Amino acid sequence: MASEWPTKTIDELKAKSRAAIAIGPFGSRMKSDCYVPSGVPVIRGTNISDTRDLIGEMVYITPEKAAEVVSSIIFADDLFFPHRGSIGLVGIVPSKGAARYVQSSSMMKLTCDRSLVEPLYLFYFFRSAQGRQELLKNASTVGTPGIGQPLSSLKAIHVPYPPLAAQKAIAALLGALDDKIELNRRMNATLEALARALFQSWFVDFGPVRAKLDARPPRQPRPCHRRPIPSHITRLIARTHPNGWEVGSILRQADLLSGGTPKTDVAAYWNGDVPSASAKDVSQCGEAFLVSTERTITNQGVEESSTKIIPELATVVVARGATTGRLTMFAHEMAMNQTCYGLRSKVNTPFSLYCHARHFMERLVQGGHGSIFDTITTSTFEATDVLLAPKEVLLDFDKHVTPLFHQVRANLHQSLTLAILRDTLLPKLLSGELSVNAAETMIEEAK
């Protein structure tokens, strides 16, 4: 739908300051060997999230190095775009982050004229399908994806241009949805950290447990110096150790599940109601649960292929490629392709299994096979020894952490609903088809 608003180009909306639109430093001026443990943070494509917040690991350069690339320094509310690699994405420098950042060599930045345009409004424009299409208009996918003449391309983009007050209202409305999504993300990180700390206390720090893993002779239970073991667990271990605690394959306590892919050239197999998880879905999830997938298949696709329905709460692990070993749990039943393995608890303790898998996965990846990328196979699971706790301990642990993981899953479902609502409202607000007041009513009804 054509916009009801007039348009302006990015070149008209950029700040009057020098280097308001600028590309990142040439690669030779900021190589990876310039990175230091702390200093001025460098924003890379991997730091762009599905909200305004930065994610992932940050790298740093010294203030002296930053002074050498002054045109690439970005401040609060500046927008940044990959012109190479993850093209089509956009980020905005957080107002409550570091005092300044430096964009990497694969980025270009935009400083806005605040008297003409609200930066957050522009951010949401570029998050829309229309804005993304504009960014990709001069893209090349030969070799590493890139944007031809990136700065000229950015300057020439036309943007719907409502009055500044309307821009701010649109940005505030969409920003509130992103704020709630980000709050849920931080809450989930805290909840999962609590569950993993409890796992560490019960299954890793406990003296006799470590003795078993280190193949030393078993000794009497004693509390860890860092945190005491709960008395009910001490009693359980006293009853079962050393015979109850064993070292062996995780497959003694979990079923290994595999997947498959329907034929891609059969249209009747695809775009159905069954989520179909791939290594990409799992590796990019970054949460304890996967709630949605990039592709879906039909029931016919399930019935007439080697794919299988994997139950909810199964732990799913990427089995090959650059992201081997990344894992998550399925929030609900999903199909799964052959790039992953699933683990289903044999004793109905999915959360201890998930925590256990997170704990030993680095070791598992190191023991993987493959000449180019690490690969996990059935024999990798069979040959990897882990600590196997008694069933009573597993059940007790799951009883303690189940409320935590249930809240994590509920938060993720809510965030998915909010993201769908945000992305539905976005083009209608940008075009002027929907007023901010009408959008607020839709949000209240959705709540």
Side-chain angles (χ1 to χ4, degrees):
M1 173 179 287
S3 173
E4 296 180 8
W5 309 115
T7 65
K8 284 188 178 292
T9 65
I10 293 297
D11 196 38
E12 294 175 293
L13 298 176
K14 74 179 189 299
K16 304 301 187 290
S17 57
R18 189 166 171 264
I21 293 180
I23 205 160
F26 290 110
S28 59
R29 298 186 68 191
M30 196 168 67
K31 296 181 179 179
S32 59
D33 57 9
C34 296
Y35 298 153
V36 294
S38 63
V40 182
V42 179
I43 292 181
R44 301 173 293 172
T46 54
N47 301 127
I48 299 176
S49 73
D50 59 343
T51 67
R52 291 170 294 166
D53 280 36
L54 300 177
I55 60 169
E57 181 183 2
M58 301 295 296
V59 296
Y60 303 86
I61 59 174
T62 63
E64 293 76 17
K65 187 64 181 178
E68 296 177 14
V69 291
V70 65
S71 64
S72 297
I73 293 177
I74 49 180
F75 298 95
D77 298 324
D78 284 352
L79 274 64
F80 50 91
F81 315 81
H83 66 81
R84 187 176 64 247
S86 304
I87 56 175
L89 300 181
V90 59
I92 186 167
V93 179
S95 57
K96 296 181 180 179
R100 58 177 177 161
Y101 296 81
V102 172
Q103 61 179 346
S104 73
S105 58
S106 63
M107 293 286 186
M108 55 183 173
K109 73 167 186 178
L110 165 64
T111 302
C112 300
D113 184 340
R114 300 294 293 266
S115 69
L116 296 176
V117 67
E118 167 60 38
L120 191 56
Y121 169 79
L122 275 189
F123 167 78
Y124 282 114
F125 166 74
F126 283 111
R127 284 281 302 274
S128 71
Q130 179 187 357
R132 180 179 173 84
Q133 183 179 6
E134 289 292 328
L135 286 172
L136 297 175
K137 197 158 52 178
N138 296 311
S140 169
T141 56
V142 178
T144 301
I147 299 174
Q149 298 182 316
L151 298 186
S152 298
S153 298
L154 180 61
K155 291 177 182 179
I157 291 174
H158 283 261
V159 178
Y161 187 68
L164 187 58
Q167 295 176 31
K168 291 182 177 180
I170 291 169
L173 180 71
L174 298 172
L177 295 175
D178 268 348
D179 286 343
K180 178 56 179 171
I181 292 171
E182 197 55 45
L183 178 62
N184 284 346
R185 178 178 290 150
R186 291 195 294 269
M187 186 187 303
N188 283 355
T190 299
L191 292 170
E192 186 175 353
L194 288 172
R196 294 177 66 187
L198 193 63
F199 179 86
Q200 179 84 12
S201 172
W202 286 25
F203 298 96
V204 180
D205 291 341
F206 187 61
V209 171
R210 292 308 313 165
K212 200 70 173 171
L213 274 178
D214 296 338
R216 294 191 291 266
R219 57 184 183 234
Q220 292 300 312
R222 61 177 177 83
C224 169
H225 291 300
R226 282 177 285 172
R227 56 174 74 88
I229 299 300
S231 59
H232 60 288
I233 294 301
T234 304
R235 290 194 298 270
L236 282 170
I237 293 176
R239 289 202 309 267
T240 59
H241 185 78
N243 295 325
W245 291 83
E246 300 180 85
V247 172
S249 167
I250 191 64
L251 299 186
R252 290 174 57 183
Q253 293 184 338
D255 296 314
L256 188 63
L257 310 173
S258 59
T261 304
K263 292 181 179 179
T264 55
D265 58 352
V266 180
Y269 292 167
W270 295 92
N271 301 316
D273 297 326
V274 181
S276 180
S278 66
K280 180 181 178 182
D281 293 311
V282 175
S283 63
Q284 293 183 352
C285 176
E287 300 279 359
F289 293 96
L290 180 67
V291 296
S292 64
T293 59
E294 185 176 48
R295 305 190 72 182
T296 60
I297 59 178
T298 62
N299 289 324
Q300 182 182 351
V302 174
E303 294 166 0
E304 298 179 8
S305 74
S306 59
T307 193
K308 298 178 181 67
I309 298 297
I310 307 300
E312 67 172 348
L313 305 186
T315 293
V316 178
V317 184
V318 176
R320 64 193 65 153
T323 58
T324 296
R326 292 192 186 175
L327 55 83
T328 187
M329 286 182 284
F330 280 177
H332 47 82
E333 286 187 345
M334 296 184 186
M336 180 181 72
N337 73 14
Q338 65 276 11
T339 61
C340 300
Y341 279 112
L343 292 168
R344 176 180 56 197
S345 172
K346 293 180 178 180
V347 292
N348 195 28
T349 55
F351 303 127
S352 65
L353 176 61
Y354 169 75
C355 292
H356 212 155
R358 286 290 299 262
H359 182 70
F360 73 74
M361 192 47 62
E362 182 178 347
R363 182 176 164 211
L364 195 62
V365 172
Q366 291 172 352
H369 310 287
S371 56
I372 300 177
F373 299 114
D374 288 331
T375 303
I376 294 173
T377 66
T378 303
S379 61
T380 313
F381 285 100
E382 292 171 344
T384 303
D385 284 337
V386 298
L387 183 71
L388 303 174
K391 177 181 176 180
E392 294 90 340
V393 175
L394 300 177
L395 288 168
D396 204 16
F397 176 80
D398 264 51
K399 183 176 73 174
H400 279 75
V401 299
T402 290
L404 303 179
F405 281 110
H406 280 182
Q407 184 62 57
V408 168
R409 182 164 58 168
N411 288 344
L412 287 169
H413 279 299
Q414 182 187 59
S415 292
L416 177 62
T417 300
L418 293 173
I420 292 171
L421 181 60
R422 176 199 63 200
D423 296 342
T424 301
L425 295 176
L426 179 54
K428 296 180 180 182
L429 289 167
L430 291 175
S431 68
E433 175 190 347
L434 188 69
S435 70
V436 170
N437 288 339
E440 288 175 340
T441 300
M442 292 177 64
I443 292 172
E444 288 302 315
E445 291 174 350
K447 290 180 180 178

